[in-house]
Amino acid sequence: MAKISVIGAGNVGATTVQRLAELELGEIVMTDIVEGLPQGKALDLMQAGAIKGYDTSIIGSNDYADIADSALVIITAGIARKPGMSREDLIKTNSKIITDVSKNIAKYAPESIIMNITNPLDIITYVAMKSTGFETTKVFGMSGVLDSGRFASFIAEELKCSKKDIQAMVIGGHGDLMVPLPQYTTVSGIPLTDLLSDDKIARLVERTVNGGAEIVELLKQGSAFYAPSAAIVSMAEAVIKDSKRVLPASAYLEGQYGQEGIYFGVPVKLGASGVEEILELKLDENQYEILRKSSQAILKVISQLEV
Ligand code: APR
């Protein structure tokens, strides 16, 4: 059975472990810097197995040695946003934390694939790649599946139809400059652009871009974790089952979409070796313009990082 490690036993980490355990996708190790926290949550989740009917092994630990031989390591350690904060406000603290986490992953699980969740997503994923020294294809970030899920949910609400039939696509940076793509979004194969007016689509796009902030404002402390953990698990399943799913991910670009040397949300083929292919889509001029702005902002931050 594959081993999956989740670093960070907070809201996103623990909910991810719950979903992974219920799917019996592998044996799970959950670590955190706080003593007792991962152990207590692991014990609780193990006991839930007797009621929910899963036999997944879940170990809580403060020791990175326990992540040895992981096929997949999911990083959720760090601080989350508070109202009024952008994802970028988290850079300093989270890049320090992830540099430390990454060095331990490289030491104890050098063969693993890494999925990063910690924000600001595209920048922290770059930090994880640099500080592990892993091949770029073995490190990716989860963003587009979540953003696409939010877009799909708003579309379903507007059309009063099932969420199950919606295939949405959101690419670009995981922030104010993400790029929802209505022309690649369908409802059971029917283009969204045939079903809703441009104005209505623009409203849903705007709500998608602010989807994370809307939840942060309501929660008052902390950020979303139910939809993020659902997105993480769909990507984890693609890696563990080597299913070659085509999903948006923050992947390292080397010329694709005219971008070089940054992590950025694009559609990829995801399998046991990580990002196995990057798919290039044709965009309209306005979408290219947002992508350029978004990538410039990321490049600026990356050039100031000490990794
Ligand atoms: N090593 C391991 N764990 C750490 C470290 C560290 N160096 N530093 C902090 N942590 C742990 C905290 O102890 C906490 O349990 O990371 C956990 C983070 O949990 P939450 O505060 O609940 O945050 P969460 O909502 O899970 O978000 C985590 O995901 O979506 C992103 O923006 C979000 O960057 C944030 C991350």
Side-chain angles (χ1 to χ4, degrees):
M1 200 167 225
K3 181 163 165 183
I4 306 172
S5 292
V6 178
I7 315 296
N11 280 339
V12 176
T15 316
T16 296
V17 172
Q18 179 187 355
R19 295 190 191 284
L20 289 171
E22 288 177 358
L23 279 179
E24 296 186 318
L25 208 53
E27 51 178 289
I28 303 167
V29 171
M30 169 165 54
T31 73
D32 200 282
I33 199 162
V34 177
E35 276 178 34
L37 181 73
Q39 292 86 345
K41 290 193 179 180
L43 204 53
D44 196 5
L45 283 161
M46 284 284 277
Q47 292 162 6
I51 302 156
K52 289 289 291 176
Y54 58 77
D55 289 312
T56 314
S57 149
I58 307 164
I59 293 170
S61 171
N62 304 113
D63 183 356
Y64 281 101
D66 287 323
I67 72 167
D69 301 322
S70 298
L72 175 66
V73 179
I74 300 169
I75 303 177
T76 76
I79 53 164
R81 282 195 283 174
K82 296 193 175 67
M85 281 173 98
S86 77
R87 294 184 178 91
E88 281 62 34
D89 292 333
L90 308 173
I91 289 176
K92 243 186 154 177
T93 309
N94 283 352
S95 66
K96 244 193 227 148
I97 291 173
I98 299 317
T99 303
D100 174 58
V101 166
S102 302
K103 288 189 174 146
N104 280 296
I105 298 173
K107 182 171 173 192
Y108 292 105
E111 302 300 323
S112 61
I113 300 292
I114 297 179
M115 184 195 318
N116 173 55
I117 322 304
T118 300
N119 276 311
L121 194 277
D122 306 284
I123 288 158
I124 296 296
T125 308
Y126 178 91
V127 171
M129 183 274 286
K130 279 285 176 192
S131 39
T132 50
F134 280 13
E135 275 172 55
T136 55
T137 50
K138 289 180 67 185
V139 182
F140 63 89
M142 185 292 291
S143 53
V145 175
L146 169 62
D147 297 327
S148 304
R150 286 180 173 148
F151 192 28
S153 161
F154 299 144
I155 292 166
E157 211 174 286
E158 181 69 36
L159 289 173
K160 299 184 177 52
C161 74
S162 169
K163 296 183 183 89
K164 289 182 198 159
D165 296 321
I166 300 179
Q167 289 259 300
M169 178 60 79
V170 178
I171 64 168
H174 186 51
D176 299 345
L177 295 171
M178 70 177 74
V179 191
L181 300 178
Q183 74 268 45
Y184 294 110
T185 297
T186 61
V187 182
S188 244
I190 306 162
L192 180 67
T193 44
D194 288 357
L195 297 170
L196 288 175
S197 68
D198 288 354
D199 276 4
K200 279 215 169 113
I201 293 176
R203 258 199 302 114
L204 302 183
V205 163
E206 198 188 331
R207 191 164 177 208
T208 302
V209 172
N210 296 319
E214 186 179 352
I215 292 171
V216 170
E217 288 301 323
L218 289 166
L219 293 179
K220 309 274 189 307
Q221 49 182 326
S223 49
F225 53 99
Y226 293 114
S229 56
I232 294 167
V233 170
S234 63
M235 297 184 93
E237 196 170 9
V239 172
I240 297 300
K241 294 187 177 167
D242 193 23
S243 50
K244 323 282 187 203
R245 283 199 66 190
V246 176
L247 297 169
S250 181
Y252 190 73
L253 300 186
E254 292 169 292
Q256 300 94 338
Y257 294 87
Q259 308 300 328
E260 188 89 48
I262 58 167
Y263 271 89
F264 211 50
V266 290
V268 305
K269 196 184 280 172
L270 206 56
S273 346
V275 172
E276 300 186 354
E277 195 182 328
I278 291 175
L279 293 108
E280 281 206 70
L281 304 176
K282 261 203 208 125
L283 307 178
D284 67 32
E285 210 22 68
N286 181 42
Q287 291 165 342
Y288 270 121
E289 187 51 35
I290 304 175
L291 277 192
R292 272 192 291 273
K293 267 196 202 152
S294 173
S295 64
Q296 274 162 12
I298 293 173
L299 265 176
K300 196 170 154 207
V301 177
I302 282 178
S303 66
Q304 292 161 356
L305 283 173
E306 290 161 18
V307 281

